[in-house]
RNA sequence: GCCGCGUUGGUCAAGGGGUUAAGACGCCUCCCUUUCACGGAGGAAUCACGGGUUCGAAUCCCGUACGUGGUACCA
């Protein structure tokens, strides 16, 4: 029972990486790391019709951004290679044949049209099951009905065929799910799933069992959408390798759309204006770009955090967790059974918390890129980071820094004159004219000097300093936001401060 | 239709026979700050429904409703 923990994430490289997928990765990763095990990524590319160029590389880029590196994968190697199912194609047939030999599977020669016909007639009869199962398999074109010679003849002639699992009726299949406990199925409701397709590729059902066995997977975590096909997998384990060898299962709850009902999909993100994919994904066929969490300005720390607690918590009031803490505290039995609606507002809150929590140097590189893209030049790295640290309380998404810190690097393009003009007066104008003089004469340029000069002069002019601070802020910042105004003056320097006041005076006057 | 799984404020959720049913997001009010945030104090808002079991049910059991997933030679 002291089997080494080995878990796997098995994506199908068909497009963008959905946040639910990332959460599955996360839970796998956390479980593996907590128990000193291995995290494997196996590419499930058995459907050649759904091959999408670039999708596989993209998935690994997403994992890298999240900091969830596999121990074994297509990219990272490992002793159970290859990790791409298309490259393991030859391995699967023998298991399928073995099942046929043992009477647990059979060859089926039905064409798609014939199957369609079968369903139509079943529907016409008012049957509530349209499945290819024990009820109808002896009426179909397969080796259950055919004589062995007939079957052999078709096989020899190279007739296209699949191999289907033969589900015995009137049985009960049950297993223990780490999250849901005992789950039971009646085999009468399970259909004869295709195991090996006509093109020789396995379906997911065969491949997942064979590969989990070959790769010595100890725990299999996947989305709840797989629950209905679990009995097929259990049976396969039973017939092929024995249920004692079977990994422990956990079916993770789904992530639902925020409004209405149903699984969260890319479409919902487009419709509601938030990302669903981890990173930007461009469909190579249509050229359509779908925005990712990374690109709209999320921090990987926040992304992991918010995903981890969407369906899990440690039982305390803690909400902010680093990856290390998650590894330490994660446990599958505290994962929820029910699906959770995704709340983008809360997601943003997590990012805000992480921006505040982390030193700006942690993400200054990314912010710098955003600045450059906005046409703002950053020359002094240390100054840049100190500015970011000063304003980070005001930023929820990385691009917010452009608004919140841009004026430290270039004078505001526009001034919020409406905030000043109604109360503007000759006296205030005089104050600033004279303030410029005094600032120019200032020996030391620091917050205290700038502020004291301001207050002394205001007192001398008999104007409340408060009435002058907002204009001063608009002059330097352009709007009603930002940290203490004298701190800003200190940081942008004497020359720049005076220049901005002068410029504003022209506009206000 | 059939099968599986689920259901605590608008959302994420703690609690698993006796609690004033935590906390967070969002919303509202106030304090701090003559900016915006941060921070702090407060507020509105919840156990899907119906039956049991029990002295006592959000908690256990059974139904119902609702939701959700599956029902492919897709994963």
């Amino acid at each position: 029972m002291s089997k080494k923990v080995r878990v796997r994430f098995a994506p199908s490289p068909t497009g963008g990486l959905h946040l639910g997928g990332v959460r599955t990765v996360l839970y796998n990763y956390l479980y593996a790391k907590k128990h000193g095990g291995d995290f494997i990524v196996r590419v499930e590319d058995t459907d050649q019709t759904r091959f999408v160029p670039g999708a596989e590389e993209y998935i690994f880029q997403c994992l890298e951004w999240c900091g969830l590196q596999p121990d074994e994968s297509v990219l990272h190697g490992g002793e159970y290679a290859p990790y791409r199912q298309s490259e393991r194609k030859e391995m699967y047939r023998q298991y399928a044949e073995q099942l046929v030999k043992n009477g647990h599977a059979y060859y089926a020669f039905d064409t798609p049209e014939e199957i369609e016909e079968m369903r139509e007639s079943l529907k016409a009869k008012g049957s509530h099951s349209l499945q290819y199962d024990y009820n109808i398999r002896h009426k179909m074109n397969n080796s259950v009905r055919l004589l062995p010679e007939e079957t052999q003849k078709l096989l020899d002639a190279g007739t296209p065929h699949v191999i289907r699992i033969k589900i015995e009726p009137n049985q009960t299949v049950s297993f223990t799910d780490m999250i849901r406990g005992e789950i039971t199925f009646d085999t009468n409701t399970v259909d004869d799933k295709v195991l090996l397709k006509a093109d020789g590729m396995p379906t997911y059902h065969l491949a997942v069992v064979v590969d989990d066995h070959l790769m010595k997977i100890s725990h299999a975590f996947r989305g709840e959408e797989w629950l209905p096909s679990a009995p097929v997998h259990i049976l396969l384990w039973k017939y092929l390798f024995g249920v004692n060898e079977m990994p422990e299962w956990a079916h993770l709850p789904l992530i639902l759309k925020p409004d209405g009902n149903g699984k969260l999909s890319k479409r919902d993100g487009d419709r509601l204006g938030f990302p669903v994919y981890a990173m930007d994904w461009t469909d190579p066929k249509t050229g359509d770009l779908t925005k990712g969490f990374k690109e709209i300005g999320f921090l990987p720390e926040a992304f992991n955090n918010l995903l981890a607690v969407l369906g899990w918590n440690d039982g305390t009031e803690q909400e902010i967790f680093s990856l290390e803490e998650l590894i330490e505290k994660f446990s599958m039995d505290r994962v929820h059974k029910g699906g959770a609606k995704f709340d983008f507002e809360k997601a943003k809150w997590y990012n805000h918390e992480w921006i505040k929590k982390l030193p700006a140097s942690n993400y200054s590189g990314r912010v710098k890129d955003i600045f450059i893209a906005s046409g703002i030049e950053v020359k002094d790295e240390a100054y840049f980071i100190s500015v970011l640290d000063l304003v980070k309380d005001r930023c929820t998404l990385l691009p917010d820094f452009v608004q919140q810190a841009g004026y430290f690097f270039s004078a505001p393009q526009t001034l919020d004159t409406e905030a000043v003009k109604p109360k503007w007066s000759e006296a205030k104008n005089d104050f600033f004219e004279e303030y410029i003089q005094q600032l120019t004469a200032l020996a030391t340029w620091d917050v205290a000097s700038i502020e004291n000069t301001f207050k002394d002069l205001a007192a001398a002019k008999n104007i409340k300093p408060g009435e002058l601070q907002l204009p001063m802020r608009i002059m330097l910042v352009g709007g009603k936001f930002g940290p203490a105004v004298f701190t800003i003056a200190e940081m942008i320097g004497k020359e720049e401060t005076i220049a901005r006041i002068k410029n504003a005076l022209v506009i206000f006057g």
Side-chain angles (χ1 to χ4, degrees), chain A residues 320 348-358 395:
Chain A
I320 303 297
K348 285 194 292 194
W349 176 79
Y350 276 104
N351 205 53
H352 187 29
E353 290 299 310
W354 274 98
I355 284 178
K356 285 189 291 179
K357 181 181 163 95
L358 258 18
C395 299

Side-chain angles (χ1 to χ4, degrees), chain A residues 269-461:
Chain A
D270 296 344
R271 182 170 57 84
L272 271 10
F274 61 81
V276 168
Y277 292 159
M279 287 169 64
D280 274 5
W281 167 253
T282 304
D283 187 314
K285 220 173 241 159
T286 62
D288 288 347
L289 171 80
T290 307
K291 276 285 173 195
F293 277 87
K294 180 190 175 190
E295 287 79 2
I296 71 155
F298 268 79
L299 257 22
E301 289 84 355
F303 193 47
N304 285 334
N305 192 161
L306 73 93
L307 252 20
V309 298
L310 203 57
W312 172 88
N313 69 80
D314 73 343
T316 73
E317 287 183 10
Q318 185 172 353
E319 299 206 80
I320 303 297
F321 296 92
S322 66
L323 232 208
E324 292 68 33
E325 286 176 298
L326 288 171
I327 290 170
E328 183 196 329
K329 297 180 173 176
F330 183 77
S331 73
M332 202 52 84
D333 53 23
R334 286 200 65 88
V335 174
H336 266 239
K337 297 182 177 81
K341 289 185 179 174
F342 181 68
D343 181 359
F344 188 54
E345 290 305 317
K346 184 113 190 202
K348 285 194 292 194
W349 176 79
Y350 276 104
N351 205 53
H352 187 29
E353 290 299 310
W354 274 98
I355 284 178
K356 285 189 291 179
K357 181 181 163 95
L358 258 18
S361 56
N362 180 288
Y363 46 77
S364 56
R366 289 181 62 195
V367 179
K368 190 175 173 181
D369 289 342
I370 297 170
F371 270 47
I372 291 167
S374 315
I376 300 169
E377 203 183 345
V378 177
K379 284 174 239 159
D380 184 340
E381 197 76 21
Y383 174 69
F384 180 59
I385 291 173
S386 67
V387 167
L388 299 191
D389 272 321
L390 186 64
V391 304
K392 64 185 184 181
D393 282 1
R394 295 166 173 78
C395 299
T396 298
L397 261 19
L398 256 22
D400 294 346
F401 278 104
V402 172
Q403 152 92 328
Q404 294 297 335
Y407 57 86
F408 282 94
F409 302 89
S410 59
Q413 302 278 327
T414 56
L415 302 186
D416 181 2
T417 53
E418 283 314 299
V420 177
K421 272 198 166 171
K423 289 184 182 171
W424 193 244
S425 66
E426 198 61 33
K428 288 180 181 174
N429 194 72
D430 289 349
F431 168 87
F432 280 103
E433 298 276 13
E434 202 164 327
Y435 188 43
I436 291 172
Q437 301 307 316
Q438 296 196 6
L439 287 181
T440 310
L442 219 49
T444 47
W445 189 257
D446 58 22
V447 176
S449 311
I450 303 163
E451 185 165 357
N452 290 336
T453 306
F454 188 91
K455 288 185 172 158
D456 291 347
L457 184 59
K461 295 265 178 197

